[in-house]
Amino acid sequence: MFSFVLRRLGQGVLILAGVALTVFFLFAVLPGDPVALLAGQRSDVATRAAIAADLGLDKPLPAQLVGYLNDVSPVGLHPRDSAGVAKYGGTALLPLGGKNALVLKTPYLRRSFQSNKDVLSILLDHFTGTLWLALAAMLIAAVFGILFGVIAAVRPHSWLDRALITTSVLGISVPSFVAGILIAMTFGFYWSHWTGLNLTGQLYETDPFTGRHLVLRNLLLPAFALGIRPLAVITQLTRSSMLDVLSQDYIRTARAKGLSSYQTIVGHALKNALNPVITAVSGWLASLMAGAFFIEYIFNWKGLGTVTLRAVENLDFPVVMGATIFIAFLFVVINIVVDVLYAVLDPRVRLS
């Protein structure tokens, strides 16, 4: 088991290194002058040169790459004096002679060109919004997907079964941003006086008299728009798994003993049919967090997607690069956790 976890961690490190290399070379060739964004158009030559030196943009591209990888790595080579170590929020591990030391630190994703704030702090401020949105979407998808799948399996080839399967196919086919626009305009604009839902809004709102309070209704529309695709997938998985379980001998035995349909379906069939559904649910969470970008933009939801897309509009490359690495890190961590859980439940997974 220990070797299995180490192997997965090693693969995760390689993936993150590949992502860091890709985003560096991708944004290195894009048009735009970071120095002009920070210094302004009317700045003098000395100011521009100082900013370029601080960002390391006066160095050749290979040196910039080494500096960037050294910054984003949790273990890097940095000045061992108190100012150099404190800049990266780390602890000197191993003095290497001279002025440098091997430092254990929080990955440094540089600073925003627009606000000059630390990129990691910007991402963490917006992370909770994306997390709650993804969890709400997954909850909606799991509850209604399992319910619809069971209904379709209990009445196979009926008009209800055909309607649910057709709807689920549409849910898989329609892109999430198209579904988001349709849902926002229909329920948040045209029918808002009936639904009581807003086109935009945040999970927490501040009232000048009552203060900050939770507004769950603002979460409904973006969560539903984001959860349509996994809901459709879970519906079909549940239906297929339930049909397979309902044809087993022990289900016929349970019915022959006089158990009611409810007891047979819920007590015996559903419990054994949920294994592939649980697998799908655990694998969808990271995908939903990454796929929430356009949904957040449509509903003006404060999350990673909103801050990243605005950074793209403003050519704020450190924020975009940091968000890409941050999302890749979430994918790697969630997938490793899921793989370890699979290995605990089924030892055969460790051999794959």
Side-chain angles (χ1 to χ4, degrees):
M1 184 65 182
F2 182 71
S3 62
F4 174 81
V5 174
L6 284 181
R7 189 165 66 249
R8 288 293 185 266
L9 288 174
Q11 293 170 354
V13 170
L14 291 177
I15 292 172
L16 291 176
V19 171
L21 286 172
T22 302
V23 297
F24 176 82
F25 284 112
L26 177 62
F27 287 97
V29 300
L30 289 178
D33 186 3
V35 176
L37 289 173
L38 289 173
Q41 297 297 329
R42 298 183 179 180
S43 58
D44 54 30
V45 176
T47 302
R48 289 172 176 261
I51 293 175
D54 182 61
L55 296 176
L57 298 177
D58 58 337
K59 299 177 181 178
L61 189 61
Q64 293 183 37
L65 173 61
V66 172
Y68 182 73
L69 294 178
N70 193 45
D71 283 345
V72 301
S73 172
V75 178
L77 186 66
H78 298 290
R80 65 177 178 176
D81 55 27
S82 58
V85 174
K87 176 182 177 181
Y88 298 92
T91 303
L93 291 180
L94 179 65
L96 298 179
K99 298 181 179 180
N100 294 323
L102 198 63
V103 177
L104 177 65
K105 60 183 176 60
T106 302
Y108 178 57
L109 302 179
R110 307 290 176 90
R111 306 187 75 85
S112 167
F113 290 162
Q114 294 291 321
S115 63
N116 201 33
K117 293 181 179 179
D118 183 73
V119 170
L120 183 59
S121 66
I122 295 175
L123 298 177
L124 291 177
D125 287 342
H126 291 79
F127 171 67
T128 53
T130 300
L131 178 62
W132 283 115
L133 179 58
L135 290 175
M138 197 70 258
L139 179 63
I140 292 173
V143 171
F144 288 98
I146 293 173
L147 176 62
F148 294 156
V150 170
I151 293 174
V154 171
R155 298 181 178 274
H157 309 299
S158 64
W159 67 268
L160 188 58
D161 178 31
R162 293 189 180 94
L164 289 172
I165 292 302
T166 302
T167 305
S168 66
V169 171
L170 290 175
I172 296 174
S173 305
V174 177
S176 58
F177 65 90
V178 174
I181 293 173
L182 294 176
I183 290 171
M185 294 302 297
T186 302
F187 297 100
F189 184 73
Y190 293 115
W191 294 351
S192 60
H193 55 287
W194 290 331
T195 62
L197 302 175
N198 300 319
L199 186 62
T200 60
Q202 305 302 323
L203 186 60
Y204 289 93
E205 293 184 352
T206 303
D207 187 271
F209 301 102
T210 60
R212 190 168 182 259
H213 55 281
L214 182 68
V215 187
L216 287 176
R217 70 173 182 272
N218 290 338
L219 184 62
L220 291 178
L221 291 183
F224 179 62
L226 183 61
I228 283 181
R229 180 164 292 181
L231 191 157
V233 172
I234 292 172
T235 297
Q236 294 201 8
L237 280 176
T238 305
R239 177 185 181 274
S240 177
S241 183
M242 280 291 293
L243 287 175
D244 181 61
V245 171
L246 289 173
S247 64
Q248 299 298 318
D249 292 337
Y250 67 89
I251 297 297
R252 287 191 288 267
T253 302
R255 287 172 175 168
K257 289 181 177 180
L259 294 181
S260 65
S261 297
Y262 177 83
Q263 292 174 321
T264 303
I265 293 171
V266 177
H268 294 275
L270 182 59
K271 181 174 62 176
N272 295 303
L274 285 182
N275 288 335
V277 178
I278 294 174
T279 302
V281 169
S282 60
W284 267 100
L285 183 59
S287 299
L288 287 178
M289 295 185 68
F293 276 39
F294 289 106
I295 298 298
E296 291 178 3
Y297 191 78
I298 291 169
F299 291 93
N300 195 28
W301 185 264
K302 184 181 178 181
L304 292 175
T306 303
V307 71
T308 304
L309 291 176
R310 287 176 180 170
V312 172
E313 293 176 350
N314 297 321
L315 300 180
D316 199 346
F317 295 152
V319 175
V320 182
M321 296 167 72
T324 305
I325 295 175
F326 189 75
I327 290 295
F329 173 76
L330 293 178
F331 260 99
V332 169
V333 170
I334 292 175
N335 285 331
I336 288 176
V337 171
V338 172
D339 287 343
V340 171
L341 290 177
Y342 289 167
V344 171
L345 297 175
D346 187 357
R348 293 174 297 177
V349 176
R350 304 175 201 173
L351 303 176
S352 60

